[in-house]
Amino acid sequence: MNTRAHPWMPSSPCGAGCLPSTPPTVGLLVVALRWCVLAFAVGIVFVAAVVPCPCAVRGAVHRYGARAVLRCLGIRVELADLSDRRDHDGGLLVVAAHVSWVDVLVLTTIVPVSFVARADLLDWGALGSLARHAGVIPIARERLRELPSLVEHLDLRLRDGSRVAVFPEGTTRCGRVGGRFRSALFEAAVRAQVPVQPVGVHYVDRAGAATTEPAFVGDETMAASVRRLVRSRGGTARVVLTPLERPGADRRDLAARCERSVHRASIAPRIARTPAAAVPAPGPRATAGAVR
């Protein structure tokens, strides 16, 4: 949806026309098997979210659950880790361009984080309940007056050693062209003086060509998107963890540096990669969530 509540609210130029018109699909038997595994994986993640258990256990369940869901979509993850976090084990702001709800699953398999998500996600039935238990941090982009309190909350979380992921474009795009990174939430990293981890995510089909198939754009519903991707042949999410960006003193400069880093990584997918393995969390506070 591209409805704007105010002139500063992000909107996407992408729509249904950005999606492949006749993407290759898998057979009915594979689709049925994928739905069964998907239901089981989501159920396990939901139980881990609502039943009291150690944070490390919950994080591991979320990570393996995300991998299982991606398998059901035919998507595998390849990682190129160019960052150097050996001298940093505290709070971290993770930023990436936003193509789809699939981005959240991809990041969850790699970096244990809490996600900043659109506030109405919490009203999406079972998914909303899962998001609340998973520690999703809601943002109502149509209500600007709530932004300072959100920045203050993120500041405290980062100072406390948490890892928090945001999608600074504020909306989804098909992945062909990146959008501008809004600087507001970068203020939390500047205040807390914690580094930012830019992440580039690039989706390719089974032949290695760039694809917009995972995109969640236009007026497509979440249910329709899931059904479409379960039927798809899938492909690969190529992920690049770029070098950390130091916070500095200016959130606009920080946002611009991260935008350049993410967009370069997202359009240069030929870096040597290995199958994804989770990046260790600095402590028990990091969790995974879900967001469009």
Side-chain angles (χ1 to χ4, degrees):
M1 290 292 203
N2 292 328
T3 302
R4 304 181 73 183
H6 53 75
W8 298 277
M9 186 171 176
S11 64
S12 174
C14 300
C18 296
L19 301 176
S21 56
T22 56
T25 58
V26 296
L28 292 179
L29 182 60
V30 174
V31 171
L33 180 61
R34 284 181 173 183
W35 277 117
C36 292
V37 176
L38 181 63
F40 178 77
V42 172
I44 293 296
V45 171
F46 186 83
V47 170
V50 300
V51 174
C53 62
C55 290
V57 173
R58 182 178 293 114
V61 171
H62 287 177
R63 187 164 60 252
Y64 288 113
R67 289 177 181 172
V69 174
L70 287 172
R71 289 286 185 93
C72 293
L73 306 180
I75 296 175
R76 64 190 183 95
V77 180
E78 292 179 351
L79 172 66
D81 189 352
L82 308 182
S83 64
D84 186 355
R85 292 176 301 277
R86 287 175 297 181
D87 60 345
H88 180 77
D89 61 357
L92 189 69
L93 184 67
V94 178
V95 299
H98 204 10
V99 173
S100 170
W101 52 271
V102 178
D103 304 335
V104 177
L105 299 174
V106 171
L107 292 180
T108 298
T109 66
I110 296 172
V111 184
V113 291
S114 298
F115 286 94
V116 174
R118 47 187 291 178
D120 62 347
L121 171 67
L122 303 184
D123 300 324
W124 290 6
L127 181 60
S129 177
L130 177 60
R132 283 191 295 272
H133 285 93
V136 164
I137 304 167
I139 178 173
R141 295 188 181 274
E142 69 278 8
R143 295 196 289 271
L144 284 177
R145 66 181 60 187
E146 297 182 8
L147 191 56
S149 61
L150 174 61
V151 171
E152 182 177 356
H153 177 71
L154 295 182
D155 176 17
L156 294 175
R157 292 283 294 268
L158 293 172
R159 290 177 188 271
D160 196 35
S162 296
R163 292 181 177 186
V164 180
V166 302
F167 298 107
E169 291 170 320
T171 185
T172 54
R173 291 171 177 258
C174 68
R176 290 190 180 123
V177 180
R180 183 171 66 87
F181 277 17
R182 306 299 177 108
S183 65
L185 298 185
F186 286 90
E187 178 66 21
V190 172
R191 291 183 186 181
Q193 282 297 290
V194 301
V196 181
Q197 173 64 76
V199 182
V201 181
H202 182 79
Y203 294 98
V204 298
D205 61 22
R206 289 194 174 187
T211 180
T212 61
E213 190 168 16
F216 184 35
V217 292
D219 294 328
E220 185 177 38
T221 65
M222 181 72 174
S225 178
V226 173
R227 288 195 299 269
R228 177 171 58 82
L229 292 182
V230 167
R231 294 193 301 269
S232 73
R233 293 192 65 191
T236 301
R238 293 177 170 172
V239 182
V240 180
L241 301 184
T242 72
L244 296 180
E245 294 287 347
R246 298 302 167 184
D250 184 348
R251 74 170 190 265
R252 291 181 177 83
D253 173 69
L254 177 58
R257 285 187 279 125
C258 291
E259 179 185 319
R260 289 192 296 269
S261 181
V262 166
H263 290 168
R264 281 197 301 265
S266 297
I267 64 176
R270 295 301 179 187
I271 301 171
R273 285 167 168 78
T274 58
V279 176
R285 301 180 184 88
T287 57
V291 61
R292 172 176 174 175

